[in-house]
Amino acid sequence: VIEIGQPEHSVVTTCAYCGVGCSFKAEMRGEEVVRMVPWKDGKANRGHSCVKGRFAWGYATHQDRILNPMVREKITDPWREVSWDEAFAHVAKEFRRLQFQYGKGSIGGITSSRCTNEETFLVQKLVRAGFGNNNVDTCARVCHSPTGYGLGKAFGTSAGTQDFDSVEHTDVVILIGANPTDGHPVFASRLKKRLRAGAKLIVIDPRRIDLVRSAHVEASHHLPLRPGTNVAVLTALAHVIVTEGLFDEAFIRERCDWSEFEDWASFVADPAHSPEATEVYTGVPAEELRGAARLYARGGNGAIYYGLGVTEHSQGSTTVMAIANLAMATGNIGRPGVGVNPLRGQNNVQGACDMGSFPHELPGYRHISGTEVRDVFEKLWGVELNPEPGLRIPNMLDAAVDGTFRGIYIQGEDILQSDPDTKHVKAGLEAMECVVVHDLFLNETANYAHVFLPGSTFLEKDGTFTNAERRINRVRRVMSPKNGLADWEVTLKLAQAMGLDWSYAHPSEIMDEIAATTPSFASVTYQMLEEKGSVQWPCNEAKPDGTPVMHLDGFVRGKGKFIRTEYVATDERTGPRFPLLLTTGRILSQYNVGAQTRRTENVAWHGEDRLEIHPHDAEQRGIHQDDWVKLASRSGETALRATITERVAPGVVYTTFHHPGTQANVITTDFTDWATNCPEYKVTAVQVSPSNGP
Ligand code: SF4
């Protein structure tokens, strides 16, 4: 029997795990969380939750948390605890020295998708206004940057088109490269409810995810494509829609550029894109492709939901544009029940992108080269901004190895674990003279840091997160920061130490600045969020109550843009040495690299990463259930236990990446999306062989 104290008060806040953004009542006893209760008035979750939000908050008080700032001269030296003031003065002095010695562009920053909007806004402001360059990036670089690029090109805005409620009006769902049962569980429950009520489901995924067949839910079509062939499959669906006259001519003539549509239609109608031709290299039966295309085009309201199985490819941006083409061609955009909906991974990856965490964009997705936009910020911040886009994370690391990039401020991001080509990340970090890690725990990246600034959890600060449906939710402080400073205060004090004349008494004042500079947030205030509970951007004079469904009357860019999406095979090839294709995903109870979920004692769920392999491939290699196997690629190797299952097709293997020992990024390639540098995590040629263990 576990003794639980009775709560004395409660505070409504937002889950800090996935992009669903569930609201919880934190029931408190003094400074101690007694339990997290899913909040019935939360508009994203309506009283539901998953195990992570409900139980996995114990990491906030875990003994591994670092509570005092630490400094060391060399990464081989032991850490020395210092006061906050000493730490800020040290970083300011080092960063100014590096800029004096190597130039203004020699330092940069990385914002965190785990932090609040207000905190990411401050980090990009520090880089632009304080460092005087645009060397700022975020972890969306390795997950949803292709969404930003692709939807921006097609529709003019880099965000999903619908609210979660929209699924209640959907008749046909295409789910591509996403496994919401594990990755976005509360949305998965809402989707299942709709499917049980009769909506149809098309799953495009190399793996037989739960939703293909589970209790009371069965997909009408599962297209188990060969990893890396998303664009070919989507183009084959478009081929059927165009050649069988299933497109919505009235919608296209009114909302899109007809001549662009004609150009695209002639491209997809080419016999080379027919289902029969496509079956040969995607492995998806032609009849399944035809059936899925007809169902999506004719089945009523059609909605597309997608995840990292779309974006983390060398053609990630192309795939996003191919999805947008399908939605526009069938008129499935601009009303409830339809649309294009990226299922965002991290709690605030949408917000981090909205807040200008990219080297080429100011908050609100406005290019840094725009004089009028820069003018708004320059007047308010009293500085002259650099009009040239800065460095992306991989470019920062390249420049570090080349000797021109010498210092970095990394807030809430473990790039050594989460970014591709671990050897190169290590080399880049080793080459820098001042690496500042601002995090909860001494993560892998901190092994290469010169300064460690302790971070705060979502329970210890005020702010907002923006979820996958563009909903701005309040995060409320339920306990004092154990390290003494919330993350926004750390960035504020660092900026002040660097001589910037900043002053904010509360994150609400940062939100006021966001609203004053960013049209899509123009009417957002903390008072409004108190009154409404939450609001979806755009929220401004034209949309005072926010915008649940976008593009109702027209696209943000004017006419929706059809773009030819030529399938180009990945450079990662199988062959005699590496005959299998590895793809990756998550499990319900763990979260990303597990920094938080592995440090919660609430539930014994830690488990291990496993390699799923088809019985045929296992038998060929003499591998039995639960055996240790060696997983090797051209980049590296690791050891895992095997799960033999028909969830994966012959020739495909699958693993999760929650445990640092798995070292999934040692295995993956350094191929990236052509437009955004998003790594191709979902396709790696591998060999699997019996092993004695790690
Ligand atoms: Fe948190 Fe996502 Fe689970 Fe909701 S579905 S409780 S936001 S992890």
Side-chain angles (χ1 to χ4, degrees), residues 652-694:
V652 176
V653 290
Y654 166 89
T655 188
T656 52
F657 49 82
H658 301 303
H659 292 264
T662 305
Q663 296 194 300
N665 291 354
V666 170
I667 300 295
T668 49
T669 71
D670 54 3
F671 297 123
T672 62
D673 174 44
W674 62 272
T676 65
N677 286 133
C678 184
E680 187 165 57
Y681 284 148
K682 300 297 181 188
V683 192
T684 308
V686 293
Q687 174 58 283
V688 178
S689 52
S691 151
N692 293 326

Side-chain angles (χ1 to χ4, degrees), residues 176-177 203-207 222-234 281-284 309 649 652:
I176 172 168
V203 174
I204 305 177
D205 200 297
R207 186 166 170 262
H222 174 211
L223 314 185
L225 75 178
R226 183 178 162 83
T229 59
N230 282 329
V231 171
V233 164
L234 292 165
Y281 53 96
T282 63
V284 181
V652 176

